[in-house]
Amino acid sequence: MNTAETPSPEASPPPQALISVHDLMPETLPMVQRTLKRLERHRRAPVTLLVVPGRDWDRPALATLRSLERAGYPLAGHGWQHRAERFGSLYHRLHGLFLSRRVAEHLALDEAGIIALIQRCHAWFGDHGLEPPALYVPPAWAMGAIARARLREACPFPLYERFDGVIDAAAERVRPLPLLGYEADQALRAPILRGWNRWNWRRAQRQGQPIRIGIHPRDIELALAADLERDLARPIEPIAYDTLRRASATTRT
């Protein structure tokens, strides 16, 4: 048998990973910074920071955010308040009960309201001396009642991430990508998320797709903290979200 013709699994390139830290607000900055130190120890970069603009961003908090951007962390828009003041449809109520609680603010809005929120989020970055982000992620990955064509026509971000994948607005196309999560803040969530993550790792390996690793500020102290440590220690190649846009543009041309 000619083993030279049969590459070993060890010779395969590591899977690509899109790593993000969610819910960056003034009140979560200390925990986010602790999480970033953990990621630095694992030499995981780039890491995209999902910023919630509509919170109480005072001067010290904004200065910290600007310093993170200067340090090379890509920023992304992440809703406006990260809180729905009311529940909209029955679907929203069920989504809140089983998944998002009260954070999925898009689900309480119609299309015009979603567009206005996204536009306001995008403008906030430039208004505060920050680079306009390439990526927008609705809270709980719940995009709500807006068509891809309207994202392209009326909204300013090139990329939008939702639960099932990442939307290239110019192409009006969603790229399905496996997603890992660790926000096990209730006992029942831990086994469900652990099974979900295991299935998505296998899915990413089988399909040869980048995997998304979505980290929330308290994940490093919750029930799946060890799982997160293990997954960060795996042989992965972190990439920026904008890599997806460049790849999509190359495909279109």
Side-chain angles (χ1 to χ4, degrees):
M1 177 179 178
N2 186 356
T3 57
E5 295 179 0
T6 308
S8 66
E10 290 77 14
S12 302
Q16 294 179 325
L18 297 151
I19 303 174
S20 60
V21 176
H22 290 227
D23 305 351
L24 178 49
M25 324 171 191
E27 56 267 41
T28 64
L29 264 174
M31 187 63 73
V32 168
Q33 289 173 309
R34 283 182 56 197
T35 300
L36 295 181
K37 289 186 183 299
R38 190 75 55 89
L39 289 162
E40 288 170 6
R41 287 202 294 272
H42 285 284
R43 298 182 180 179
R44 296 308 181 205
V47 175
T48 300
L49 306 181
L50 275 53
V51 180
V52 182
R55 311 296 280 217
D56 186 17
W57 286 93
D58 57 15
R59 288 185 179 181
L62 282 168
T64 300
L65 187 59
R66 294 188 188 106
S67 71
L68 289 169
E69 183 182 64
R70 288 194 300 271
Y73 288 100
L75 305 183
H78 192 42
W80 182 253
Q81 285 281 350
H82 203 267
R83 180 171 176 81
E85 295 302 325
R86 60 180 178 83
F87 285 109
S89 63
L90 175 60
Y91 171 76
H92 188 189
R93 289 185 179 277
L94 294 173
H95 195 280
L97 179 63
F98 293 106
L99 293 173
S100 61
R101 301 186 179 92
R102 297 193 71 98
V103 308
E105 57 189 326
H106 277 224
L107 299 184
L109 303 172
D110 60 11
E111 185 175 77
I114 293 170
I115 291 170
L117 186 152
I118 291 173
Q119 290 175 340
R120 187 181 186 189
C121 176
H122 186 270
W124 182 89
F125 289 86
D127 290 345
H128 292 83
L130 298 160
E131 290 293 321
L135 175 69
Y136 178 83
V137 185
W141 293 284
M143 188 62 72
I146 182 168
R148 292 180 218 165
R150 293 298 288 152
L151 289 176
R152 177 181 61 81
E153 296 163 357
C155 297
F157 292 88
L159 296 172
Y160 298 85
E161 184 176 1
R162 63 186 193 187
F163 192 74
D164 60 339
V166 177
I167 300 170
D168 179 334
E172 298 182 25
R173 182 171 59 206
V174 60
R175 180 172 178 179
L177 293 172
L179 172 65
L180 306 184
Y182 306 88
E183 199 177 15
D185 54 357
Q186 292 180 350
L188 184 60
R189 287 193 172 202
I192 293 173
L193 281 171
R194 186 170 283 126
W196 168 265
N197 291 345
R198 190 180 300 117
W199 178 74
N200 273 285
W201 268 114
R202 289 198 295 264
R203 178 183 161 206
Q205 292 170 331
R206 184 172 63 250
Q207 297 175 353
Q209 290 272 40
I211 194 160
R212 294 176 289 158
I213 300 177
I215 305 169
H216 287 81
R218 294 182 55 225
D219 287 354
I220 61 173
E221 64 182 24
L222 294 177
L224 294 187
D227 296 57
L228 175 58
E229 284 287 320
R230 181 202 61 218
D231 291 343
L232 291 174
R234 291 177 188 262
I236 56 175
E237 178 195 352
I239 61 171
Y241 274 84
D242 206 41
T243 303
L244 302 180
R245 180 171 54 147
R246 294 195 297 270
S248 181
T250 300
T251 302
R252 291 197 300 273
T253 56

